[in-house]
Amino acid sequence: MTFTSTKTLADKVRQDFPILHQEIHGKPLVYLDNAATSQKPLAVLNAWRDYYDQYNSNVHRGAHFLSAKATDAYEAARDKITKFINAKSRQEIVYTRNASEAINLVAYSWGMNNLQPGDEIILSVMEHHSNIVPWQFVAQKTGAILKFVELTPEETFDLEQFKQLISDKTKMVSIVHVSNTLGCINPVKEIAEIAHRYGAKFLMDACQSVPHMPIDVQAIDCDWLVASGHKMCAPTGIGFLYGKLELLEAMPPFFGGGEMIAEVYLDHSTYAELPHKFEAGTPAIGEAIALGAAIDYLTNIGMDKIHAYEAELTAYLFEQLGQIPQIRIYGPKPDAHGEGRAALAAFTAEGVHANDLATLLDQEGVAIRSGHHCTQPLHRHLGLAGTARASLSFYNTREEIDVFIKALKDTLDFFASVFAE
Protein backbone atom coordinates (compact mmCIF):
# COMPACT_ATOMS: atom_id res chain seq x y z
CA MET A 1 0.00 0.00 0.00
CA THR A 2 1.38 3.41 -0.97
CA PHE A 3 0.85 6.59 1.05
CA THR A 4 1.72 10.18 0.30
CA SER A 5 4.55 11.65 2.36
CA THR A 6 2.24 14.24 3.87
CA LYS A 7 0.31 11.60 5.81
CA THR A 8 1.26 10.90 9.40
CA LEU A 9 1.93 7.40 10.63
CA ALA A 10 -1.52 7.35 12.26
CA ASP A 11 -3.17 8.32 8.97
CA LYS A 12 -1.50 5.35 7.34
CA VAL A 13 -2.50 2.74 9.90
CA ARG A 14 -5.86 3.78 11.34
CA GLN A 15 -7.78 1.90 8.66
CA ASP A 16 -6.28 -1.28 10.12
CA PHE A 17 -8.09 -0.74 13.44
CA PRO A 18 -11.88 -0.96 12.99
CA ILE A 19 -12.56 -0.21 16.66
CA LEU A 20 -11.13 3.28 16.28
CA HIS A 21 -13.89 4.26 13.86
CA GLN A 22 -16.87 3.70 16.14
CA GLU A 23 -18.84 6.17 18.23
CA ILE A 24 -19.22 6.17 22.01
CA HIS A 25 -22.21 8.03 23.49
CA GLY A 26 -22.80 9.49 20.03
CA LYS A 27 -19.24 10.89 19.83
CA PRO A 28 -16.29 9.57 17.80
CA LEU A 29 -14.12 7.36 19.97
CA VAL A 30 -10.81 8.85 21.11
CA TYR A 31 -8.91 5.98 22.67
CA LEU A 32 -6.19 7.22 25.02
CA ASP A 33 -5.86 4.20 27.30
CA ASN A 34 -3.07 2.44 25.47
CA ALA A 35 -0.91 1.87 28.55
CA ALA A 36 -3.69 -0.40 29.85
CA THR A 37 -4.07 -2.30 26.58
CA SER A 38 -3.52 -1.60 22.90
CA GLN A 39 -6.01 -2.00 20.10
CA LYS A 40 -5.57 -4.87 17.64
CA PRO A 41 -5.09 -4.45 13.87
CA LEU A 42 -6.97 -6.57 11.37
CA ALA A 43 -3.83 -8.54 10.55
CA VAL A 44 -3.70 -9.77 14.15
CA LEU A 45 -7.42 -10.49 14.37
CA ASN A 46 -7.28 -12.37 11.07
CA ALA A 47 -4.29 -14.46 12.16
CA TRP A 48 -6.12 -15.47 15.33
CA ARG A 49 -9.33 -16.28 13.45
CA ASP A 50 -7.50 -18.13 10.67
CA TYR A 51 -6.01 -20.53 13.20
CA TYR A 52 -9.44 -21.49 14.51
CA ASP A 53 -11.09 -21.41 11.06
CA GLN A 54 -8.46 -23.26 9.04
CA TYR A 55 -6.02 -25.33 11.09
CA ASN A 56 -7.20 -25.58 14.69
CA SER A 57 -5.23 -28.40 16.28
CA ASN A 58 -2.98 -29.04 19.25
CA VAL A 59 0.73 -28.38 18.83
CA HIS A 60 3.67 -30.77 19.22
CA ARG A 61 1.35 -33.74 19.61
CA GLY A 62 0.30 -34.96 16.22
CA ALA A 63 1.68 -36.25 12.95
CA HIS A 64 -1.30 -35.05 10.93
CA PHE A 65 -1.36 -32.00 8.68
CA LEU A 66 -3.34 -29.67 10.96
CA SER A 67 -1.12 -30.33 13.97
CA ALA A 68 2.02 -29.79 11.91
CA LYS A 69 0.70 -26.52 10.50
CA ALA A 70 -0.35 -25.26 13.95
CA THR A 71 3.02 -26.23 15.40
CA ASP A 72 4.90 -24.46 12.61
CA ALA A 73 2.90 -21.24 13.11
CA TYR A 74 3.19 -21.42 16.89
CA GLU A 75 6.95 -21.91 16.81
CA ALA A 76 7.40 -19.34 14.04
CA ALA A 77 5.95 -16.76 16.43
CA ARG A 78 8.66 -17.66 18.94
CA ASP A 79 11.29 -17.00 16.26
CA LYS A 80 9.72 -13.60 15.61
CA ILE A 81 9.94 -12.66 19.30
CA THR A 82 13.56 -13.81 19.34
CA LYS A 83 14.45 -11.48 16.49
CA PHE A 84 12.24 -8.64 17.76
CA ILE A 85 14.19 -8.28 21.03
CA ASN A 86 17.49 -9.60 19.61
CA ALA A 87 17.78 -12.65 21.85
CA LYS A 88 20.64 -15.02 21.07
CA SER A 89 18.49 -18.13 20.82
CA ARG A 90 14.85 -19.11 20.40
CA GLN A 91 15.37 -21.34 23.45
CA GLU A 92 15.53 -18.13 25.50
CA ILE A 93 11.87 -17.26 24.75
CA VAL A 94 9.22 -18.80 27.01
CA TYR A 95 5.53 -18.26 26.32
CA THR A 96 3.50 -17.15 29.34
CA ARG A 97 -0.05 -15.89 29.86
CA ASN A 98 1.26 -12.38 30.54
CA ALA A 99 4.13 -10.48 32.16
CA SER A 100 2.74 -11.18 35.64
CA GLU A 101 3.10 -14.92 35.09
CA ALA A 102 6.58 -14.40 33.66
CA ILE A 103 7.72 -12.53 36.78
CA ASN A 104 6.16 -15.18 39.00
CA LEU A 105 8.00 -17.86 37.01
CA VAL A 106 11.34 -16.20 37.76
CA ALA A 107 10.40 -15.44 41.37
CA TYR A 108 9.40 -19.01 42.15
CA SER A 109 11.80 -20.97 39.94
CA TRP A 110 14.91 -18.84 40.49
CA GLY A 111 14.11 -16.81 43.60
CA MET A 112 12.84 -19.61 45.82
CA ASN A 113 15.85 -21.76 44.94
CA ASN A 114 18.63 -19.19 45.09
CA LEU A 115 17.79 -16.66 47.80
CA GLN A 116 18.74 -17.12 51.43
CA PRO A 117 17.93 -15.23 54.66
CA GLY A 118 19.56 -11.81 54.54
CA ASP A 119 19.90 -11.72 50.74
CA GLU A 120 18.57 -8.51 49.23
CA ILE A 121 16.10 -7.86 46.42
CA ILE A 122 16.07 -4.31 45.04
CA LEU A 123 12.91 -2.93 43.44
CA SER A 124 11.69 0.66 43.01
CA VAL A 125 8.71 2.53 44.39
CA MET A 126 7.35 2.97 40.87
CA GLU A 127 6.94 -0.76 40.16
CA HIS A 128 3.69 -2.28 38.96
CA HIS A 129 2.10 -4.56 41.55
CA SER A 130 3.14 -7.51 39.38
CA ASN A 131 6.78 -6.64 40.07
CA ILE A 132 6.27 -6.24 43.82
CA VAL A 133 3.87 -8.91 45.09
CA PRO A 134 5.78 -11.97 43.75
CA TRP A 135 8.97 -10.71 45.41
CA GLN A 136 7.06 -10.21 48.66
CA PHE A 137 6.08 -13.88 48.47
CA VAL A 138 9.72 -14.83 47.88
CA ALA A 139 10.96 -12.64 50.72
CA GLN A 140 8.42 -14.13 53.14
CA LYS A 141 9.43 -17.68 52.22
CA THR A 142 13.21 -17.25 51.99
CA GLY A 143 13.97 -14.53 54.51
CA ALA A 144 15.32 -12.25 51.80
CA ILE A 145 15.00 -8.50 52.34
CA LEU A 146 13.22 -6.08 49.99
CA LYS A 147 14.74 -2.68 49.36
CA PHE A 148 13.27 0.11 47.25
CA VAL A 149 14.82 2.83 45.10
CA GLU A 150 12.93 6.11 45.46
CA LEU A 151 12.52 9.08 43.12
CA THR A 152 14.61 12.07 42.17
CA PRO A 153 13.06 15.56 42.52
CA GLU A 154 12.17 15.21 38.82
CA GLU A 155 10.23 12.03 39.69
CA THR A 156 12.56 9.63 37.91
CA PHE A 157 14.53 6.58 39.05
CA ASP A 158 17.14 7.72 41.59
CA LEU A 159 20.24 6.10 40.15
CA GLU A 160 22.52 7.62 42.79
CA GLN A 161 20.41 6.16 45.57
CA PHE A 162 20.47 2.80 43.77
CA LYS A 163 24.26 2.92 43.77
CA GLN A 164 24.18 3.48 47.53
CA LEU A 165 21.52 0.81 48.11
CA ILE A 166 23.13 -2.07 46.24
CA SER A 167 25.66 -4.24 48.05
CA ASP A 168 27.30 -7.64 48.00
CA LYS A 169 24.13 -8.92 49.69
CA THR A 170 22.03 -7.93 46.68
CA LYS A 171 21.08 -10.98 44.60
CA MET A 172 18.19 -9.67 42.49
CA VAL A 173 17.38 -6.28 40.95
CA SER A 174 13.94 -6.13 39.29
CA ILE A 175 13.06 -2.78 37.71
CA VAL A 176 10.56 -1.49 35.20
CA HIS A 177 11.99 -0.06 31.97
CA VAL A 178 9.24 2.54 31.48
CA SER A 179 6.92 3.55 34.32
CA ASN A 180 3.25 3.20 33.44
CA THR A 181 2.47 6.19 35.70
CA LEU A 182 5.49 8.51 35.67
CA GLY A 183 6.40 7.81 32.06
CA CYS A 184 10.09 7.94 32.92
CA ILE A 185 12.48 5.78 30.90
CA ASN A 186 14.82 4.13 33.35
CA PRO A 187 18.56 3.65 32.60
CA VAL A 188 18.29 -0.12 32.35
CA LYS A 189 21.65 -0.70 30.69
CA GLU A 190 23.43 1.08 33.53
CA ILE A 191 21.25 -0.67 36.11
CA ALA A 192 22.20 -4.04 34.59
CA GLU A 193 25.89 -3.13 34.60
CA ILE A 194 25.82 -2.08 38.26
CA ALA A 195 23.82 -5.15 39.29
CA HIS A 196 26.27 -7.49 37.57
CA ARG A 197 29.22 -5.70 39.16
CA TYR A 198 27.86 -6.84 42.51
CA GLY A 199 27.02 -10.33 41.29
CA ALA A 200 23.27 -9.69 41.22
CA LYS A 201 20.79 -10.65 38.51
CA PHE A 202 18.65 -8.09 36.69
CA LEU A 203 15.04 -8.58 35.58
CA MET A 204 13.54 -5.91 33.33
CA ASP A 205 9.79 -5.29 33.12
CA ALA A 206 9.41 -4.17 29.50
CA CYS A 207 5.61 -4.05 29.23
CA GLN A 208 5.59 -0.32 28.53
CA SER A 209 8.72 -0.23 26.37
CA VAL A 210 8.55 -3.21 23.98
CA PRO A 211 5.48 -1.77 22.16
CA HIS A 212 6.99 1.70 21.76
CA MET A 213 10.74 1.51 21.08
CA PRO A 214 13.41 -0.86 19.78
CA ILE A 215 14.61 -3.31 22.44
CA ASP A 216 17.90 -5.21 22.34
CA VAL A 217 18.32 -7.60 25.26
CA GLN A 218 21.93 -8.33 24.37
CA ALA A 219 22.87 -4.65 24.38
CA ILE A 220 21.01 -4.04 27.65
CA ASP A 221 22.44 -7.27 29.12
CA CYS A 222 19.37 -8.00 31.24
CA ASP A 223 19.16 -11.49 32.68
CA TRP A 224 15.41 -11.69 32.17
CA LEU A 225 12.83 -9.56 30.35
CA VAL A 226 9.06 -9.82 30.63
CA ALA A 227 6.37 -8.46 28.32
CA SER A 228 2.63 -8.80 27.69
CA GLY A 229 1.23 -9.30 24.22
CA HIS A 230 -1.95 -7.30 24.77
CA LYS A 231 0.05 -4.07 25.15
CA MET A 232 1.76 -4.62 21.79
CA CYS A 233 -1.25 -5.11 19.49
CA ALA A 234 -1.63 -8.83 20.28
CA PRO A 235 -4.52 -10.54 22.09
CA THR A 236 -4.86 -10.91 25.83
CA GLY A 237 -3.72 -14.13 27.48
CA ILE A 238 -0.28 -14.27 25.86
CA GLY A 239 3.05 -12.85 26.92
CA PHE A 240 6.63 -13.97 27.09
CA LEU A 241 9.69 -14.32 29.26
CA TYR A 242 13.18 -13.84 27.88
CA GLY A 243 15.95 -15.34 29.95
CA LYS A 244 19.63 -15.94 29.34
CA LEU A 245 20.08 -19.52 28.26
CA GLU A 246 22.37 -20.57 31.10
CA LEU A 247 19.95 -19.18 33.69
CA LEU A 248 16.90 -20.90 32.19
CA GLU A 249 18.81 -24.17 31.95
CA ALA A 250 19.61 -24.02 35.67
CA MET A 251 16.06 -23.13 36.75
CA PRO A 252 13.62 -25.92 37.65
CA PRO A 253 10.16 -26.03 36.05
CA PHE A 254 7.48 -23.74 37.48
CA PHE A 255 4.39 -25.71 36.40
CA GLY A 256 4.07 -29.45 35.97
CA GLY A 257 1.99 -31.33 33.40
CA GLY A 258 1.95 -32.29 29.76
CA GLU A 259 4.33 -30.73 27.23
CA MET A 260 7.02 -29.89 29.81
CA ILE A 261 8.16 -33.47 30.32
CA ALA A 262 10.60 -35.81 28.61
CA GLU A 263 9.72 -39.03 30.46
CA VAL A 264 7.20 -39.67 33.24
CA TYR A 265 7.49 -42.58 35.68
CA LEU A 266 5.41 -43.31 38.76
CA ASP A 267 8.11 -42.06 41.10
CA HIS A 268 9.83 -39.32 39.08
CA SER A 269 9.89 -37.43 35.82
CA THR A 270 12.48 -35.92 33.52
CA TYR A 271 11.89 -32.62 31.79
CA ALA A 272 11.80 -31.34 28.25
CA GLU A 273 14.49 -29.17 26.75
CA LEU A 274 14.17 -25.40 26.75
CA PRO A 275 11.93 -23.60 26.32
CA HIS A 276 9.29 -26.31 26.68
CA LYS A 277 10.13 -27.29 30.27
CA PHE A 278 8.44 -24.04 31.35
CA GLU A 279 5.37 -24.45 29.12
CA ALA A 280 3.11 -27.02 30.79
CA GLY A 281 -0.20 -28.01 29.23
CA THR A 282 -1.94 -26.97 26.05
CA PRO A 283 -0.77 -23.41 25.36
CA ALA A 284 -2.65 -20.38 24.03
CA ILE A 285 -1.92 -21.41 20.45
CA GLY A 286 -4.09 -18.91 18.58
CA GLU A 287 -2.93 -16.10 20.83
CA ALA A 288 0.75 -16.97 20.28
CA ILE A 289 0.25 -17.05 16.53
CA ALA A 290 -1.53 -13.69 16.73
CA LEU A 291 1.37 -12.33 18.80
CA GLY A 292 3.62 -13.30 15.94
CA ALA A 293 1.33 -11.41 13.58
CA ALA A 294 1.47 -8.37 15.88
CA ILE A 295 5.26 -8.46 15.79
CA ASP A 296 5.15 -8.66 12.00
CA TYR A 297 2.83 -5.65 11.96
CA LEU A 298 5.05 -3.56 14.26
CA THR A 299 8.21 -4.63 12.44
CA ASN A 300 6.77 -3.73 9.05
CA ILE A 301 6.08 -0.21 10.33
CA GLY A 302 9.46 -0.01 12.06
CA MET A 303 9.98 0.47 15.78
CA ASP A 304 12.19 3.51 15.12
CA LYS A 305 9.34 5.13 13.20
CA ILE A 306 6.84 4.26 15.92
CA HIS A 307 9.08 5.76 18.60
CA ALA A 308 9.74 8.93 16.57
CA TYR A 309 6.06 9.52 15.80
CA GLU A 310 4.99 8.90 19.40
CA ALA A 311 7.65 11.39 20.53
CA GLU A 312 6.03 14.00 18.28
CA LEU A 313 2.66 13.23 19.86
CA THR A 314 4.19 13.44 23.33
CA ALA A 315 5.60 16.90 22.67
CA TYR A 316 2.21 18.09 21.44
CA LEU A 317 0.29 16.50 24.32
CA PHE A 318 2.51 18.13 26.93
CA GLU A 319 2.40 21.46 25.13
CA GLN A 320 -1.39 21.40 25.25
CA LEU A 321 -1.67 20.13 28.82
CA GLY A 322 0.81 22.81 29.87
CA GLN A 323 -1.77 25.44 28.95
CA ILE A 324 -4.19 24.20 31.61
CA PRO A 325 -3.10 25.72 34.94
CA GLN A 326 -5.19 23.35 37.11
CA ILE A 327 -3.27 20.32 35.83
CA ARG A 328 -0.30 18.75 37.62
CA ILE A 329 1.53 16.11 35.53
CA TYR A 330 3.72 13.51 37.22
CA GLY A 331 7.10 12.34 36.00
CA PRO A 332 9.79 14.10 33.96
CA LYS A 333 9.07 16.64 31.27
CA PRO A 334 9.84 15.70 27.66
CA ASP A 335 12.27 17.77 25.67
CA ALA A 336 11.11 19.96 22.78
CA HIS A 337 11.02 16.90 20.52
CA GLY A 338 9.02 14.79 22.94
CA GLU A 339 11.99 12.63 23.88
CA GLY A 340 13.03 11.70 27.42
CA ARG A 341 9.79 10.07 28.55
CA ALA A 342 7.00 7.78 27.37
CA ALA A 343 3.93 8.89 25.41
CA LEU A 344 1.66 9.12 28.44
CA ALA A 345 0.68 11.68 31.03
CA ALA A 346 -0.64 10.84 34.49
CA PHE A 347 -2.10 13.95 36.08
CA THR A 348 -4.34 15.41 38.72
CA ALA A 349 -6.64 18.40 38.46
CA GLU A 350 -7.05 20.68 41.44
CA GLY A 351 -10.24 19.88 43.35
CA VAL A 352 -11.49 17.20 40.93
CA HIS A 353 -11.28 13.45 41.52
CA ALA A 354 -9.62 11.47 38.72
CA ASN A 355 -12.61 9.13 38.45
CA ASP A 356 -14.97 12.06 37.95
CA LEU A 357 -12.72 13.41 35.21
CA ALA A 358 -12.62 10.07 33.43
CA THR A 359 -16.39 9.60 33.71
CA LEU A 360 -17.22 12.95 32.15
CA LEU A 361 -14.55 12.60 29.47
CA ASP A 362 -16.12 9.27 28.55
CA GLN A 363 -19.37 11.09 27.83
CA GLU A 364 -17.43 13.02 25.18
CA GLY A 365 -16.09 9.81 23.64
CA VAL A 366 -12.65 10.15 25.22
CA ALA A 367 -11.31 7.00 26.91
CA ILE A 368 -8.64 7.59 29.55
CA ARG A 369 -7.67 5.65 32.68
CA SER A 370 -8.24 6.75 36.27
CA GLY A 371 -7.14 5.22 39.55
CA HIS A 372 -3.80 3.96 40.81
CA HIS A 373 -2.80 2.07 37.61
CA CYS A 374 -1.61 -0.91 39.67
CA THR A 375 0.99 1.34 41.32
CA GLN A 376 -0.50 1.90 44.76
CA PRO A 377 2.92 2.21 46.48
CA LEU A 378 3.94 4.93 44.01
CA HIS A 379 0.72 6.87 44.51
CA ARG A 380 1.13 6.51 48.27
CA HIS A 381 4.72 7.76 47.93
CA LEU A 382 3.43 10.80 46.03
CA GLY A 383 0.61 11.36 48.53
CA LEU A 384 -2.10 10.68 45.95
CA ALA A 385 -5.30 8.66 46.01
CA GLY A 386 -5.18 8.31 42.24
CA THR A 387 -4.41 10.01 38.95
CA ALA A 388 -5.98 10.37 35.53
CA ARG A 389 -3.83 9.02 32.70
CA ALA A 390 -3.88 9.66 28.97
CA SER A 391 -1.61 7.28 27.07
CA LEU A 392 -0.87 7.37 23.36
CA SER A 393 0.03 4.92 20.63
CA PHE A 394 1.15 5.19 17.03
CA TYR A 395 -2.44 5.15 15.75
CA ASN A 396 -3.38 8.29 17.71
CA THR A 397 -3.45 11.72 16.10
CA ARG A 398 -2.96 15.36 17.03
CA GLU A 399 -6.62 15.90 16.26
CA GLU A 400 -7.52 13.34 18.92
CA ILE A 401 -5.33 15.17 21.41
CA ASP A 402 -7.21 18.36 20.52
CA VAL A 403 -10.53 16.62 21.23
CA PHE A 404 -9.16 15.37 24.56
CA ILE A 405 -7.85 18.78 25.56
CA LYS A 406 -11.13 20.54 24.70
CA ALA A 407 -13.15 17.93 26.59
CA LEU A 408 -10.79 18.21 29.56
CA LYS A 409 -11.07 22.00 29.63
CA ASP A 410 -14.86 21.82 29.35
CA THR A 411 -14.98 19.28 32.18
CA LEU A 412 -12.81 21.43 34.43
CA ASP A 413 -14.94 24.48 33.62
CA PHE A 414 -18.04 22.48 34.54
CA PHE A 415 -16.62 21.52 37.93
CA ALA A 416 -15.45 25.09 38.52
CA SER A 417 -18.97 26.36 37.89
CA VAL A 418 -20.45 23.74 40.24
CA PHE A 419 -18.03 24.62 43.00
CA ALA A 420 -18.73 28.33 42.52
CA GLU A 421 -22.44 27.90 43.21
Side-chain angles (χ1 to χ4, degrees):
M1 189 174 293
T2 303
F3 300 99
T4 62
S5 60
T6 57
K7 285 191 173 183
T8 68
L9 176 55
D11 292 330
K12 298 174 183 179
V13 303
R14 284 180 67 84
Q15 63 184 358
D16 299 334
F17 296 84
I19 195 172
L20 299 179
H21 304 283
Q22 66 175 300
E23 291 190 348
I24 303 294
H25 307 302
K27 305 290 179 64
L29 171 64
V30 175
Y31 184 78
L32 302 181
D33 194 20
N34 294 284
T37 197
S38 64
Q39 297 302 337
K40 324 304 177 193
L42 284 170
V44 170
L45 300 176
N46 289 339
W48 181 86
R49 187 178 61 244
D50 287 349
Y51 162 72
Y52 285 106
D53 277 350
Q54 300 174 22
Y55 57 102
N56 174 47
S57 183
N58 215 328
V59 293
H60 306 140
R61 298 181 183 180
H64 59 80
F65 174 82
L66 293 181
S67 180
K69 185 171 183 179
T71 299
D72 288 346
Y74 177 78
E75 291 299 338
R78 195 189 309 272
D79 292 330
K80 293 170 185 179
I81 298 169
T82 303
K83 184 177 181 181
F84 192 64
I85 63 170
N86 193 34
K88 284 184 180 179
S89 167
R90 70 189 313 276
Q91 291 178 290
E92 297 178 319
I93 305 301
V94 177
Y95 286 125
T96 61
R97 287 182 302 154
N98 44 47
S100 299
E101 183 177 280
I103 294 173
N104 275 274
L105 191 161
V106 176
Y108 279 85
S109 180
W110 186 88
M112 293 292 192
N113 292 284
N114 287 275
L115 297 177
Q116 305 293 328
D119 287 345
E120 296 173 354
I121 304 167
I122 295 181
L123 313 174
S124 79
V125 296
M126 70 180 75
E127 299 306 315
H128 191 283
H129 298 161
S130 293
N131 201 24
I132 295 177
V133 178
W135 300 114
Q136 291 175 340
F137 291 160
V138 170
Q140 290 164 6
K141 292 286 188 180
T142 65
I145 299 167
L146 296 177
K147 293 190 171 182
F148 293 88
V149 179
E150 298 187 357
L151 307 179
T152 65
E154 294 76 31
E155 296 171 344
T156 63
F157 182 87
D158 193 335
L159 188 64
E160 294 307 311
Q161 188 210 1
F162 172 62
K163 292 176 182 177
Q164 298 299 316
L165 206 58
I166 196 169
S167 72
D168 292 335
K169 294 181 179 179
T170 306
K171 304 303 179 186
M172 168 62 78
V173 177
S174 190
I175 301 293
V176 69
H177 188 189
V178 173
S179 168
N180 74 332
T181 302
L182 299 173
C184 56
I185 303 172
N186 292 330
V188 288
K189 188 173 182 178
E190 191 168 358
I191 292 170
E193 181 183 344
I194 295 168
H196 293 154
R197 195 183 307 156
Y198 283 86
K201 305 301 183 199
F202 174 50
L203 183 150
M204 181 173 114
D205 175 357
C207 286
Q208 299 292 342
S209 56
V210 165
H212 303 289
M213 62 185 71
I215 297 294
D216 185 334
V217 293
Q218 294 188 63
I220 295 168
D221 198 24
C222 54
D223 296 296
W224 298 278
L225 174 147
V226 303
S228 285
H230 74 93
K231 288 182 167 63
M232 52 189 293
C233 294
T236 57
I238 189 69
F240 64 88
L241 167 70
Y242 155 81
K244 289 181 177 176
L245 191 64
E246 61 273 18
L247 286 174
L248 295 180
E249 286 177 336
M251 290 163 56
F254 179 36
F255 293 120
E259 283 288 297
M260 52 74 65
I261 51 85
E263 298 285 345
V264 176
Y265 303 88
L266 293 180
D267 59 349
H268 74 283
S269 298
T270 58
Y271 308 126
E273 297 294 321
L274 287 174
H276 305 295
K277 77 171 182 179
F278 293 113
E279 298 177 354
T282 298
I285 302 167
E287 286 73 15
I289 292 169
L291 172 58
I295 288 174
D296 286 341
Y297 187 85
L298 295 173
T299 301
N300 288 338
I301 295 172
M303 294 309 298
D304 286 326
K305 290 181 180 179
I306 287 173
H307 178 72
Y309 177 67
E310 289 181 357
E312 292 177 17
L313 290 181
T314 302
Y316 187 68
L317 173 66
F318 273 72
E319 176 188 327
Q320 298 304 308
L321 285 173
Q323 298 174 17
I324 305 176
Q326 306 99 307
I327 292 296
R328 158 60 156 109
I329 306 174
Y330 295 88
K333 295 180 179 179
D335 65 19
H337 304 289
E339 299 283 359
R341 65 162 295 132
L344 63 86
F347 60 92
T348 52
E350 186 178 348
V352 182
H353 196 284
N355 290 345
D356 294 332
L357 272 180
T359 299
L360 290 189
L361 287 173
D362 177 66
Q363 297 301 310
E364 298 302 315
V366 179
I368 67 166
R369 179 70 44 166
S370 63
H372 51 67
H373 320 306
C374 293
T375 57
Q376 284 182 339
L378 174 61
H379 280 77
R380 202 170 288 119
H381 182 80
L382 295 170
L384 301 171
T387 53
R389 184 185 68 193
S391 50
L392 308 172
S393 190
F394 60 90
Y395 42 69
N396 288 125
T397 66
R398 284 192 174 212
E399 290 77 14
E400 288 182 313
I401 294 174
D402 290 338
V403 172
F404 162 60
I405 293 296
K406 182 181 184 305
L408 179 58
K409 288 179 176 178
D410 290 346
T411 299
L412 294 175
D413 288 344
F414 166 76
F415 280 109
S417 65
V418 170
F419 295 150
E421 292 178 357

